[in-house]
Amino acid sequence: MTNTLNNSVATLNLSLERDIFLRTLIRELSGTLHDVVGLEEASGFLSVVGGTMGRQLNQDYKSALEVSNLSRKQVADVLVDLKRRIQGDFYVIEQNDEKIVLGNRVCPFGDKVLNRPAICMMTSNVFGTIAANNLGYAKVELQKTIAQGDPGCRVVVYLKITEEAEDAEGREYFRGVESV
């Protein structure tokens, strides 16, 4: 009887595997944080994780490219590539010495990001940490996000303190240090 039950359970048509489980776990964790401590504090907790991941990814890419520092073009390429590797669909809209503007058609968290804007702090912190640690400064503005119901994302990574950057609502990053 036990074997029959085990076999029937094992053949159930469930969309459950490691990726979905982990994305759901992050969604529920960010939702619980949001409900308990509020959006700003939940975003802060996820920012800490994003910063740590950003430092590790930055080192991984620099090691793989065998460089001590990434150029602006390499930073843009790395931001797009790292999201591609985790099944996002980021692309460069514009880039110059002052900013990198990115679009995104698919969130790596899929539908698990909907109504969970705190999860976007992972993107902000990973992008900001990589840009600032290579170029000295970054301010990341999440202008549009799938999490907030937009059809895609628009992320601006300011690389210099300009009037436009100062007017933008975003999070600032400095080489080796994060600030709000």
Side-chain angles (χ1 to χ4, degrees):
M1 179 74 177
T2 304
N3 275 347
T4 305
L5 178 62
N6 288 342
N7 288 337
S8 65
V9 170
T11 60
L12 290 174
N13 185 17
L14 294 174
S15 61
L16 179 62
E17 42 81 32
R18 182 173 55 180
D19 179 61
I20 290 172
F21 178 81
L22 292 173
R23 284 187 289 134
T24 302
L25 176 70
I26 292 168
R27 173 185 170 74
E28 296 309 318
L29 176 61
S30 71
T32 300
L33 282 168
H34 182 208
D35 293 345
V36 174
V37 299
L39 177 59
E40 190 172 325
E41 292 296 320
S43 295
F45 284 114
L46 289 169
S47 291
V48 172
V49 175
T52 301
M53 291 185 71
R55 285 186 293 280
Q56 182 60 55
L57 289 166
N58 184 49
Q59 191 55 52
D60 291 346
Y61 275 96
K62 290 191 313 185
S63 293
L65 290 166
E66 298 178 348
V67 297
S68 59
N69 234 18
L70 301 174
S71 69
R72 178 187 41 85
K73 169 110 176 58
Q74 287 173 318
V75 166
D77 290 346
V78 162
L79 300 183
V80 169
D81 183 70
L82 74 88
K83 289 295 188 171
R84 178 190 60 79
R85 289 175 186 268
I86 61 172
Q87 298 178 15
D89 189 16
F90 277 73
Y91 55 94
V92 174
I93 295 171
E94 167 190 356
Q95 67 175 300
N96 56 50
D97 288 339
E98 294 181 356
K99 66 185 175 185
I100 301 168
V101 182
L102 299 137
N104 177 40
R105 293 174 281 256
V106 178
C107 180
F109 292 97
D111 64 348
K112 306 300 183 197
V113 78
L114 296 175
N115 300 311
R116 295 294 192 266
I119 293 176
C120 298
M121 285 297 100
M122 297 291 288
T123 295
S124 177
N125 278 270
V126 169
F127 282 14
T129 298
I130 290 171
N133 283 329
N134 288 285
L135 305 173
Y137 171 82
K139 182 174 188 178
V140 179
E141 180 182 26
L142 303 170
Q143 291 182 340
K144 294 180 182 180
T145 66
I146 294 169
Q148 293 181 320
D150 293 306
C153 301
R154 182 177 172 94
V155 179
V156 181
V157 181
Y158 296 97
L159 306 173
K160 295 185 187 286
I161 303 172
T162 62
E163 188 174 325
E164 181 183 3
E166 286 179 347
D167 291 343
E169 288 202 26
R171 201 170 183 91
E172 289 188 298
Y173 304 84
F174 301 90
R175 191 180 315 268
V177 180
E178 178 196 331
S179 173
V180 176

